[in-house]
Amino acid sequence: MLYYSTNRQVPPVTLREAVITGLAADHGLFMPGRIGRLDDAFFSQLGQLSFPEIAFRVAQLFFGEDIPEEELRTITAETLSFDCPVVRVTEHIWSLELFHGPTLAFKDVGARFMARMLRYFLRGSHKPVTVLVATSGDTGSAVANGFLGVEGIHVVVLYPSGKVSDIQEKQFTTLGRNITALEINGTFDDCQRLVKTAFRDEHLREKLTLTSANSINVARFLPQAFYYFNAVARLQEAGALQGRELVIAVPSGNFGNLTAGLFAREAGLPVGRFIAANNRNDVVFQYLLSGHYAPRPSVETIANAMDVGTPSNFARILDLYGHDWKKISTLMSGFRIDDKEIKETIRRVFDQTGYLCDPHGACGYAALEAQLKEGETGLFLETAHPAKFTPTMEEILGKGEVPLPPRLAAFMEGEKNAVKMDSHFPEFRKWLSDNCR
Ligand SMILES: *Cc1c(COP(=O)(O)O)cnc(C)c1O
């Protein structure tokens, strides 16, 4: 299948090229030329299929023309070394727990899949690839761990100094080997801008093979459709959907996760509508209300992985629906919540149900609480384990309520190793030129 650019200024490219280059030459985002639909036979037996089988069928739909079946089966199976279960929180609200992977956040799914797909496409090639990734916390850890030790790939993680939690920082600054962390004196948007500018830089493009592992990469964001289908299967199995319409609330920052949900819907996912849950960084919320899209600098919140002022995947949503605001605003509604309300939600859900939401998942839960109607079943994406935000969680719930999972504790043992850098492009450019090949 060919992938076109949302800016449509360059000819479509193959999947291999889309994955290796990350961003189109006209600075647009790649879109699959066609979205197939899963057939009735698939949906009629969905509740009986296992997660790996469901994921493989969805992977085949997106990537089956470009990757041999056995290879795709291996990539998918290796990616899903963990489950993404649904857990009932209240009578009609369920949590889709996406934190059972190695770095305890949903990005493990996309990052692990992309690392394996890139490994497949680079097989037999002798030119190393440099993966650039800007992170507000969880992307860096998921990508660094997903790519750790993969031959021929050097990962460079850019993160805003002092704006990610200790545990997040440890997950990508302690690994060594083919992973380098750059501690940027700036915001997440600065990091993202440095990465985007590097891709546009002629000199760097000539010298290095640069790719991105942010959710702009199709190999990272599309696999996130897997767990939406699996969630429906598990909800069906649990009898939670009989005659009820499904509403999915997605805590959103760069909108990769929600966009994958929209692609899943195009492929046949039985979902009534989505809710885009924002923290105070609410440009999409404002767009959905007014039809006017006005990106602006991000502000800091306690749901820091959603502190994005210019959500990169929004271009994909606009393209998918032909920039039709009416259509987009019927498929999804917006929701916005501030830090105080996030804290209140975490406290209330814990007191009333015993369920622990992390600050991001809490935005999704609150969105359902506010907007779920009679006859609907709500599912919110619990995008990270609460223990990744221990200081915030302890401030809300008191000490000792959030046990640290052993695989998270293990990261804290490592020694931090990061290169400090200003947010000015020339310095970053020189570093790349000197340290990558
Ligand atoms: C990255 C992240 C988000 C935002 O996801 P997008 O795909 O960028 O919208 C939400 N929650 C957590 C915990 C994250 O790490």
Side-chain angles (χ1 to χ4, degrees):
M1 190 180 321
L2 291 179
Y3 287 74
Y4 67 89
S5 160
T6 51
N7 286 345
R8 296 165 198 262
Q9 301 295 307
V10 286
V13 301
T14 60
L15 174 62
R16 181 178 191 277
E17 195 176 335
V19 173
I20 293 179
T21 56
L23 196 67
D26 64 359
H27 314 151
L29 276 70
F30 287 117
M31 296 281 282
R34 194 165 31 76
I35 306 174
R37 268 184 100 83
L38 290 151
D39 55 23
D40 293 346
F42 171 80
F43 287 107
S44 63
Q45 53 173 330
L46 191 57
Q48 285 97 58
L49 297 178
S50 68
F51 186 19
E53 184 60 28
I54 291 170
F56 171 65
R57 302 278 191 93
V58 178
Q60 247 187 335
L61 187 77
F62 290 129
F63 308 120
E65 284 176 24
D66 302 291
I67 299 189
E69 184 171 327
E70 273 322 296
E71 201 65 56
L72 200 53
R73 215 177 250 291
T74 308
I75 294 173
T76 316
E78 281 184 21
T79 298
L80 302 174
S81 56
F82 51 90
D83 196 14
C84 300
V86 295
V87 173
R88 182 173 235 145
V89 179
T90 68
E91 193 183 357
H92 295 304
I93 296 184
W94 293 71
S95 167
L96 170 53
E97 292 189 345
L98 300 175
F99 55 69
H100 296 277
T103 71
L104 299 95
F106 80 89
K107 295 184 176 79
D108 281 326
V109 175
R112 290 171 65 81
F113 189 91
M114 181 184 161
R116 284 158 182 80
M117 190 185 257
L118 200 54
R119 183 187 64 193
Y120 166 74
F121 281 133
L122 293 175
R123 210 171 279 165
S125 141
H126 296 294
K127 197 160 186 300
V129 167
T130 303
V131 171
L132 296 182
V133 56
T135 185
S136 54
D138 291 328
T139 305
S141 46
V143 170
N145 285 274
F147 282 77
L148 184 64
V150 178
E151 218 167 291
I153 302 179
H154 180 194
V155 176
V156 180
V157 179
L158 289 79
Y159 73 102
S161 182
K163 296 195 175 65
V164 304
S165 71
D166 288 349
I167 189 77
Q168 285 175 326
E169 189 177 37
K170 286 277 188 176
Q171 288 181 306
F172 50 77
T173 58
T174 59
L175 298 169
R177 297 169 73 181
N178 59 329
I179 314 296
T180 307
L182 302 184
E183 183 173 359
I184 304 296
N185 186 13
T187 61
F188 168 70
D189 286 328
D190 290 326
C191 297
Q192 190 148 267
R193 178 180 45 79
L194 287 174
V195 168
K196 285 185 178 162
T197 314
F199 284 122
R200 289 172 200 173
D201 190 277
E202 290 298 329
H203 165 76
L204 289 176
R205 285 171 78 107
E206 244 165 61
K207 185 157 184 249
L208 308 171
T209 307
L210 291 177
T211 191
S212 158
N214 281 95
S215 52
I216 56 175
N217 198 302
V218 287
R220 236 207 73 195
F221 100 91
L222 274 176
Q224 295 173 164
F226 300 165
Y227 46 69
Y228 284 93
F229 284 98
N230 185 56
V232 168
R234 305 291 75 94
L235 288 173
Q236 282 182 357
E237 208 179 20
L241 291 179
Q242 282 152 348
R244 307 181 66 84
E245 190 154 270
L246 179 62
V247 177
I248 305 180
V250 187
S252 295
N254 261 319
F255 278 77
N257 219 354
L258 183 54
T259 305
L262 293 170
F263 273 70
R265 187 181 175 279
E266 295 303 299
L269 184 80
V271 51
R273 63 196 158 89
F274 289 91
I275 309 177
N278 279 152
N279 58 25
R280 285 201 296 128
N281 297 283
D282 65 351
V283 300
V284 172
F285 171 74
Q286 298 298 344
Y287 165 82
L288 290 167
L289 285 182
S290 67
H292 182 58
Y293 180 59
R296 55 165 208 269
S298 60
V299 295
E300 273 180 62
T301 77
I302 58 170
N304 69 349
M306 293 157 58
D307 294 351
V308 180
T310 311
S312 45
N313 280 285
F314 193 62
R316 285 198 166 108
I317 299 180
L318 289 176
D319 188 273
L320 189 59
Y321 300 110
H323 294 252
D324 183 342
W325 170 73
K326 258 217 157 90
K327 172 130 206 217
I328 294 171
S329 57
T330 32
L331 291 176
M332 61 198 239
S333 57
F335 180 75
R336 165 200 201 279
I337 181 171
D338 65 21
D339 279 0
K340 185 163 165 280
E341 295 163 311
I342 294 175
K343 290 179 185 173
E344 282 165 7
T345 304
I346 292 173
R347 172 92 253 167
R348 187 175 61 253
V349 177
F350 185 64
D351 286 348
Q352 290 174 358
T353 72
Y355 192 80
L356 269 179
C357 290
D358 89 294
H360 307 79
C363 302
Y365 182 93
L368 290 174
E369 235 182 3
Q371 298 187 10
L372 206 61
K373 296 201 258 300
E374 195 58 39
E376 292 177 333
T377 291
L379 179 74
F380 68 99
L381 274 51
E382 186 37 279
T383 47
H385 193 287
K388 291 194 92 168
F389 313 96
T390 299
T392 306
M393 295 300 293
E394 286 188 339
E395 190 199 314
I396 302 166
L397 298 176
K399 287 213 184 301
E401 296 287 13
V402 188
L404 196 63
R407 64 191 188 289
L408 204 49
F411 281 111
M412 289 310 274
E413 307 287 303
E415 180 107 9
K416 170 181 161 181
N417 204 332
V419 180
K420 289 204 180 224
M421 199 173 285
D422 251 345
S423 64
H424 301 142
F425 183 67
E427 193 183 341
F428 176 53
R429 182 175 189 262
K430 177 162 189 327
W431 185 90
L432 279 178
S433 216
D434 293 349
N435 290 279
C436 303
R437 56 191 182 96

